[in-house]
């Protein structure tokens, strides 16, 4: 019970498949009905060209690509295939085909540098690389890992060159048309996804078929089951990158099992997103905070009210209460929920459900079914009751097997994963994320959560964006430093910013240095890259 410091999900348990020989792709396809309308709606659609894949297309392409990968490249159980692909309707096909062949898919940001790609090749030792034409030149040539170019759609124009001929040859159908029998089961590795590298070097997270099946059931399908609306009527905009766990879980796996339509954007652009929402009558929009802010700015300058939207959700990074309030004012017809998850938990964690009883927008929601949590006191190691803040630990079927190459493990022998996040539950079982343990600023022995100061700073009418981090200080140990983006035309000074905060917080929490910047550096998944900010402070100090 919560009183003893162990938090069980408040949702009834969801039965998960027990067959040890089951793997992700047969599971997804067994969930996905074929047949007459509404089953004939496209399941993947390219926002720019409107080219689409039906459910039958998806099954056929995944099966024939999987057989081609086995036939031509010997992809078998355990073989790693690296995807260097931007979002496209081909991305989910490539990802699922690698798994259906028995292989292990690993993904990376396609805009990575040559050196980063070389590093990833060393770490994951793939036997094949699937890349888009514009990124393939950055992949170091290697006999051990040939590169096959993947087109953005399966509707090639007649004028297209033959650079895609090797890929098309993989799709050539043989007599068979089913999935290959891939000799992998729930306990086998299915994917190596990388954490965002927010607090240090990105870590390779090994996820099994069991983890991914649990994600499909506990995160995507469970949530859809909570609403009266049939999931096959939902149209999702895939504005988030599919190489990251959040976009991958939804757009390249989970949603494809529900028969929802996924409208794919190659990359996020606010104008394109608004047009796509209109054109395809998008109903569901999974976002990260910076994209919510961009949509809000577009609305303020006259963009449409996005009438078709039913639900907007945000995850992957802290969200300010002010942004939620402003967003709901601008888009009052939208149901908003927040979620929390991480690479190591296959994106499973908590999701907010705003019942008529609870509208807790600051919370990241309730534990997903079948998941357990503890809040652990940093000093005593004891489990804490509702209302007390400590490190969040998670346990459940979506938690990773471990890191690649056994890097610094946060797994305990008993299966508990230490998230590194500071959090607390309220007495209704809703979780609140306070910040990251590593980001906590220690000022003369006092602990300061950067998020507390950021929440104060964003309320200032002349501040558009902000990030707080620490600088080393001889006397105090660490001091809070605010990186501030001013509204254009603002003449706000450092002293004014510091006084504004000082009036609202306890003296030890005061911001002691302010640096004005053009923009706060953020990752593709919307996270503030505090590491870069800290590095810039160190460079400053050294100069
Ligand atoms: P790294 O582990 O490499 O430092 P990362 O933790 O940012 O990077 P991810 O796995 O992409 O890599 O992100 C998970 C983390 O994102 C969580 O541990 C948490 O700190 C943060 N996070 C996710 N959702 C939310 C949310 N709704 N509110 C606040 N923080 C969130
Ligand atoms: Mg992390």
């Amino acid at each position: 019970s919560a009183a003893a410091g162990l938090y069980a999900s408040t949702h009834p348990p969801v039965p998960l498949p027990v067959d040890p020989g089951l793997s992700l792709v047969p599971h997804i396809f067994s969930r996905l009905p074929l047949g007459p309308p509404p089953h004939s709606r496209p399941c993947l659609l390219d926002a720019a060209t409107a080219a689409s894949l039906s459910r039958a297309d998806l099954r056929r392409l995944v099966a024939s690509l999987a057989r081609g990968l086995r036939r031509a490249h010997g992809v078998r159980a355990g073989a790693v295939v690296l995807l260097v692909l931007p979002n496209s309707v081909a991305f989910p096909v490539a990802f699922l085909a690698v798994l259906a062949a028995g292989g292990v898919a690993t993904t990376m940001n396609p805009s990575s540098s040559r050196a980063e790609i070389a590093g990833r090749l060393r770490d994951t030792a793939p036997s094949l690389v699937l890349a888009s034409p514009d990124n393939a030149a950055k992949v170091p040539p290697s006999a051990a890992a040939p590169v096959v170019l993947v087109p953005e759609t399966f509707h090639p124009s007649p004028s297209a060159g033959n650079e895609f001929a090797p890929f098309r040859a993989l799709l050539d159908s043989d007599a068979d048309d089913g999935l290959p029998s891939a000799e992998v089961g729930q306990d086998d590795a299915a994917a190596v996804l990388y954490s965002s590298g927010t607090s240090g070097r990105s870590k390779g997270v090994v996820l099994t078929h069991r983890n991914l099946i649990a994600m499909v059931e506990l995160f995507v399908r469970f949530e859809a089951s909570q609403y009266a609306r049939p999931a096959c009527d939902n149209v999702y905009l895939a504005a988030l990158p599919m190489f990251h766990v959040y976009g991958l879980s939804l757009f390249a796996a989970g949603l494809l099992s529900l028969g929802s339509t996924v409208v794919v954007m190659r990359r996020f652009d606010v104008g394109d997103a608004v047009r796509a929402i209109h054109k395809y009558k998008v109903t569901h929009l999974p976002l990260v905070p910076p994209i919510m802010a961009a949509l809000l700015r577009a609305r303020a300058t006259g963009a449409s009210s996005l009438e078709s939207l039913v639900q907007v959700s945000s995850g992957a990074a802290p969200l300010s209460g002010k942004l939620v309030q402003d967003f709901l004012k601008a888009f009052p017809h939208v149901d908003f929920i927040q979620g929390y998850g991480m690479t190591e938990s296959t994106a499973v964690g908590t999701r907010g459900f705003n019942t008529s009883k609870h509208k807790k927008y600051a919370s990241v929601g309730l534990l997903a079914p079948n998941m357990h949590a503890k809040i652990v006191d940093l000093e005593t190691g004891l489990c804490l009751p509702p209302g007390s803040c400590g490190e969040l630990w998670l346990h459940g079927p979506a938690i990773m097997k471990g890191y690649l190459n056994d890097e610094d493990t946060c797994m305990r022998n008993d299966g508990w994963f230490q998230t590194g996040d500071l959090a607390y539950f309220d007495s209704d079982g809703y979780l609140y994320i306070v910040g990251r343990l590593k980001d906590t600023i220690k000022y003369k022995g006092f602990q300061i959560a950067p998020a507390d100061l950021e929440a104060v700073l964003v309320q200032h009418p002349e501040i558009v964006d902000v990030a707080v981090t620490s600088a080393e200080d001889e006397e105090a140990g660490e001091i809070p430093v605010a990186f501030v983006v001013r509204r254009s035309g603002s003449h706000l000074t450092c002293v004014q910013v510091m006084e504004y905060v000082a009036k609202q917080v306890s003296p030890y929490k005061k911001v002691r240095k302010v640096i004005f910047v053009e923009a706060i550096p953020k990752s593709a998944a919307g996270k503030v890259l505090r590491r870069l900010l800290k590095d810039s402070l160190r460079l400053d100090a050294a100069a």
Side-chain angles (χ1 to χ4, degrees):
S1 74
L6 177 65
Y7 299 85
S9 173
T10 52
H11 301 300
V14 168
L16 295 174
V18 288
D19 172 9
L22 187 66
S23 59
L24 179 72
V25 179
H27 179 68
I28 286 179
F29 287 173
S30 75
R31 293 297 214 174
L32 180 66
L34 291 173
H39 301 324
S40 55
R41 293 206 178 96
C43 67
L44 286 160
L45 193 153
D46 181 277
T49 64
S52 68
L53 299 184
S54 68
R55 296 179 193 186
D57 293 335
L58 178 73
R59 283 174 181 253
R60 183 176 42 77
L61 288 165
V62 168
S64 62
L65 183 57
R67 290 195 310 272
L69 290 171
R70 287 172 74 92
R71 191 176 59 232
H73 295 283
V75 175
R76 293 275 185 295
V80 175
V81 178
L82 170 63
L83 311 188
V84 190
L85 298 172
N87 280 9
S88 72
V89 300
F91 189 119
V93 173
F95 173 71
L96 295 176
V98 170
L99 272 60
V104 179
T106 186
T107 58
M108 73 186 299
N109 188 333
S111 61
S112 300
S113 69
R114 175 177 262 277
E116 287 164 335
I117 297 175
R120 195 55 59 84
L121 290 174
R122 276 195 303 278
D123 288 351
T124 60
S127 52
L128 179 70
V129 180
L130 298 176
S132 57
D134 49 343
N135 292 301
K138 292 181 299 187
V139 183
S142 142
V147 179
V148 172
L149 298 184
V150 178
E152 263 175 63
T153 73
F154 295 94
H155 304 263
S157 70
S159 62
N162 58 6
E163 55 179 351
F164 298 122
F167 182 79
R168 283 205 204 94
L170 295 178
L171 289 172
D172 277 349
S173 53
D174 42 38
D176 191 2
D177 64 354
L179 290 170
S181 82
E183 306 112 23
V184 288
Q186 296 214 49
D187 288 323
D188 292 303
V192 178
L193 303 186
Y194 278 75
S195 65
S196 297
T198 311
S199 53
R201 202 168 155 272
S202 289
K203 290 153 286 193
V205 171
V206 182
L207 300 174
T208 61
H209 286 272
R210 183 185 309 283
N211 295 148
L212 287 160
I213 290 168
M215 177 278 295
V216 169
E217 296 301 317
L218 307 180
F219 169 31
V220 187
R221 297 185 64 90
F222 173 74
E223 179 164 332
S225 75
Q226 297 302 292
Y227 302 105
R229 220 186 129 80
C232 60
D233 289 346
N234 293 344
V235 180
Y236 281 78
L237 186 66
L240 303 174
M242 295 188 199
F243 65 80
H244 179 254
V245 70
Y246 184 14
L248 188 89
S249 297
L250 289 170
F251 310 130
L255 292 171
L256 303 177
S257 80
L258 279 171
S260 303
T261 298
V262 176
V263 176
V264 181
M265 293 186 72
R266 189 181 161 90
R267 68 175 70 77
F268 178 75
D269 169 89
V270 72
D272 290 345
V274 168
R275 278 185 291 279
I277 291 166
H278 250 282
K279 181 165 176 196
Y280 303 109
K281 301 203 165 43
V282 169
T283 59
H284 285 64
L285 195 51
L287 295 179
V288 292
I291 300 190
M292 280 181 69
L295 282 172
L296 190 59
R297 285 195 298 274
R299 175 79 181 120
T301 55
S304 99
S305 61
L306 312 178
E307 280 311 317
S308 61
L309 284 183
V310 172
Q311 190 193 66
V312 171
S313 48
S314 175
L319 176 66
S320 81
K322 179 169 188 288
L323 180 53
V324 181
Q325 282 163 22
D326 292 350
F327 194 87
L328 287 168
K329 242 182 259 162
F331 304 103
H333 59 289
V334 164
D335 174 37
F336 174 79
I337 68 168
Q338 225 196 128
Y340 163 87
M342 63 205 68
T343 314
E344 293 91 336
S345 69
T346 330
V348 179
T350 60
R351 297 288 281 174
F353 293 102
N354 297 309
T355 61
S356 48
K357 193 166 147 225
H358 297 302
K359 288 223 186 301
K360 305 190 183 198
Y361 295 118
S363 159
V364 296
L366 300 168
L367 273 177
N370 307 26
M371 297 295 288
H372 288 86
K374 285 181 195 174
I375 300 289
V376 178
D377 185 282
L378 299 175
E379 259 134 54
T380 64
L382 296 175
C383 296
L384 297 171
S388 306
C389 184
E391 187 184 8
L392 173 68
W393 293 22
L394 288 176
H395 192 283
I399 300 291
M400 68 170 181
K401 200 166 175 174
Y403 291 117
L404 189 67
N405 310 328
D406 293 326
E407 269 178 69
D408 79 273
T409 188
C410 309
M411 292 290 292
R412 322 259 318 174
N413 299 333
D414 47 4
W416 283 95
F417 171 66
Q418 303 182 227
T419 65
D421 290 317
L422 287 171
Y424 63 93
F425 281 95
D426 70 13
S427 51
D428 296 317
Y430 283 74
L431 183 69
Y432 296 77
I433 303 294
V434 173
R436 287 173 190 257
L437 215 54
K438 280 193 181 165
D439 289 342
T440 305
I441 303 165
K442 283 152 213 116
Y443 175 81
K444 294 187 174 167
F446 291 101
Q447 312 252 341
I448 307 169
D452 285 353
L453 294 173
E454 289 165 2
V456 171
L457 285 157
V458 290
Q459 295 288 342
H460 192 289
E462 288 181 52
I463 293 179
V464 194
D465 203 2
V466 63
V468 171
T469 182
S470 62
E472 282 164 30
D473 182 85
E474 232 158 73
E475 190 199 338
E478 291 178 342
I479 54 165
V481 181
F483 287 78
V484 170
V485 182
R486 280 175 291 195
R487 188 169 293 289
S488 69
S490 160
H491 297 291
L492 194 65
T493 65
C494 296
V495 173
Q496 286 170 327
V497 172
M498 287 193 276
E499 283 175 351
Y500 177 78
V501 177
K503 275 192 229 130
Q504 303 181 60
V505 300
S506 343
Y508 73 87
K509 278 195 193 173
K510 283 190 220 171
V511 167
R512 286 165 203 274
K513 185 171 181 178
V514 173
I515 297 170
F516 292 115
V517 288
E518 293 292 314
I520 303 294
K522 287 179 189 157
S523 72
K527 292 160 197 289
V528 172
L529 296 172
R530 273 176 230 275
R531 203 165 30 90
L532 291 187
L533 295 174
K534 281 197 158 188
D535 289 350
S536 77
L537 287 174
R538 267 187 225 114
L539 287 177
D540 256 18

